[in-house]
Amino acid sequence: MVFNNATITYNNVTYTGVNLVENVEACTQEWTFLDGVYYATITVTTVGYGDLAPSTEAGRIFGFFYILYGLAVVFTIINEVAVTVYAALESSATGHVTLDDILNADPKDAYRKIYKRMAMSAVIIVFLVWIGGISYMVLEEWTLLEGVWWAFATTSTVGYGDLSLTHDDSKVFSIVYVLGSVVIMATSLSTLGSGLADLKQEQRRQELLHANLNIEMITKMDLDGDGVDRFEFVTGMLKLLDQLTEEQIAPWSKRFNELDEDGSGLLDHDDLERLGREMEALQEEADAAKSHAHTPKNFMEKFSPTSGGKKKFFGKAPQGHDEYQGQEMKRSPSWTRS
């Protein structure tokens, strides 16, 4: 395709003239270090504006591996840091909750905490978009709408690329902004979505706590036919709330039965003593295996009584020194005591 009397801006460079050919290779510039860091950031966070992309085969081949590594490792680390920060913000907003608070809480308090958590998430989303929008408006001389649009497309990782950054200061800001905002935005949106599900679950929980339980419901909780104990009642109620499944309970119930040898349904003193002895025996076996593994192989070969043949002590022995042969030791006359 040919442009007559056209002006083209590519990679922050404007080309003006007659019969400009649409050829990326013809107007490609080498990246700066800042360009590389900027590209790495928008790639690993999956924003991918498209304003910078590899144009060589080597760059694209490297991109395959970098994207896989970045998503698997780098983005995971960024996510853990962001989630930790978000959890700290959430904890400071909702406060520390003790067991007494839960047992004596007003039923409405649970709803308030969910609404409070959702409101905090909404505030974080608005703050991230506005702080980014105002910053891009100032750095790029855009309108406020363009800045907010760019910030929202960035934090949501949509990354349309319909606008392009033209200043290095904007790229420096983007590196910091993208790394910090993308995961926090994702966590906030997830919290808003899960908040709706939490409200439904809390409603169901309140109904079960304050409803009159029928005999049929309680009878179904009896797993062994000898009545409903505390364990069966609690696990039964959690299953009704879809917070626990039989598949989750079964492996631990089986493990308990293995430890409860006398079948009393209780890990008594005898069970714990036997478990302690087994753990000590396992530890002794592990220590013995570790000690054996650290014994030098050449040391074992030279001093093993079943090695057979003539073995010399630490290699070639000098004249007049001990030599080891099978299980016998020959002593030279120079070592004979007077």
Side-chain angles (χ1 to χ4, degrees):
M1 184 180 296
V2 177
F3 298 88
N4 293 319
N5 298 322
T7 298
I8 298 176
T9 300
Y10 178 80
N11 199 20
N12 303 334
V13 179
T14 301
Y15 301 86
T16 304
V18 180
N19 297 333
L20 287 174
V21 180
E22 187 183 28
N23 186 346
V24 174
E25 296 295 338
C27 57
T28 297
Q29 286 187 323
E30 291 186 359
W31 288 0
T32 63
F33 176 75
L34 178 60
D35 290 334
V37 176
Y38 172 73
Y39 163 77
T41 302
I42 63 175
T43 297
V44 78
T45 54
T46 70
V47 175
Y49 298 121
D51 51 349
L52 282 179
S55 58
T56 64
E57 290 185 358
R60 288 168 180 164
I61 292 174
F62 172 77
F64 284 126
F65 297 99
Y66 176 73
I67 291 172
L68 293 175
Y69 175 80
L71 293 177
V73 180
V74 179
F75 193 70
T76 302
I77 296 174
I78 297 172
N79 179 67
E80 290 179 355
V81 173
V83 169
T84 301
V85 173
Y86 190 91
L89 292 174
E90 187 178 75
S91 178
S92 62
T94 58
H96 179 67
V97 180
T98 64
L99 181 60
D100 290 337
D101 295 333
I102 296 175
L103 295 176
N104 302 318
D106 187 324
K108 295 181 179 179
D109 288 342
Y111 291 104
R112 293 192 191 101
K113 289 178 181 178
I114 296 174
Y115 285 125
K116 192 174 183 178
R117 189 167 65 247
M118 295 175 66
M120 187 192 72
S121 298
V123 169
I124 290 176
I125 292 173
V126 173
F127 173 78
L128 289 175
V129 173
W130 275 96
I131 196 68
I134 294 173
S135 299
Y136 285 119
M137 179 187 70
V138 173
L139 293 170
E140 287 293 323
E141 299 179 356
W142 290 343
T143 64
L144 179 60
L145 179 58
E146 289 175 328
V148 171
W149 170 250
W150 178 269
F152 186 74
T154 296
T155 54
S156 61
T157 71
V158 174
Y160 289 117
D162 51 340
L163 298 172
S164 297
L165 303 180
T166 58
H167 297 86
D168 286 346
D169 291 342
S170 301
K171 293 180 180 179
V172 173
F173 172 76
S174 292
I175 292 170
V176 179
Y177 179 69
V178 170
L179 288 175
S181 65
V182 166
V183 179
I184 294 179
M185 170 66 88
T187 305
S188 299
L189 291 173
S190 176
T191 301
L192 283 177
S194 63
L196 299 176
D198 291 342
L199 287 173
K200 292 181 179 180
Q201 188 177 66
E202 182 59 29
Q203 182 179 2
R204 174 63 173 161
R205 191 179 76 91
Q206 294 295 340
E207 290 175 355
L208 289 174
L209 281 174
H210 300 94
N212 292 324
L213 300 177
N214 57 62
I215 300 299
E216 182 181 359
M217 180 186 298
I218 297 179
T219 303
K220 289 181 179 179
M221 299 178 184
D222 186 8
L223 301 177
D224 49 16
D226 62 350
V228 180
D229 57 22
R230 180 183 298 182
F231 168 78
E232 292 172 333
F233 180 80
V234 171
T235 56
M237 297 303 293
L238 290 176
K239 285 191 287 185
L240 288 174
L241 288 171
D242 295 326
Q243 293 184 346
L244 197 62
T245 65
E246 192 64 38
E247 289 76 11
Q248 293 173 318
I249 299 174
W252 301 108
S253 180
K254 178 182 178 182
R255 180 57 178 153
F256 179 89
N257 292 334
E258 292 173 351
L259 298 176
D260 182 24
E261 284 194 344
D262 56 8
S264 63
L266 180 70
L267 295 181
D268 53 22
H269 182 71
D270 293 336
D271 292 325
L272 296 178
E273 274 194 347
R274 177 185 52 78
L275 181 60
R277 290 193 298 269
E278 291 179 357
M279 294 179 64
E280 289 178 359
L282 289 174
Q283 184 62 45
E284 290 176 358
E285 291 179 4
D287 292 341
K290 184 177 179 181
S291 175
H292 180 74
H294 288 172
T295 304
K297 184 178 179 181
N298 61 344
F299 180 86
M300 296 296 294
E301 289 178 349
K302 289 185 178 296
F303 292 98
S304 173
T306 59
S307 59
K310 185 177 181 181
K311 296 286 185 178
K312 295 185 177 181
F313 182 73
F314 291 113
K316 186 176 181 180
Q319 185 71 23
H321 285 74
D322 293 348
E323 292 182 344
Y324 178 73
Q325 183 177 9
Q327 299 185 44
E328 299 178 357
M329 184 73 73
K330 293 182 179 181
R331 182 173 299 277
S332 62
S334 60
W335 282 43
T336 304
R337 291 186 179 181
S338 57

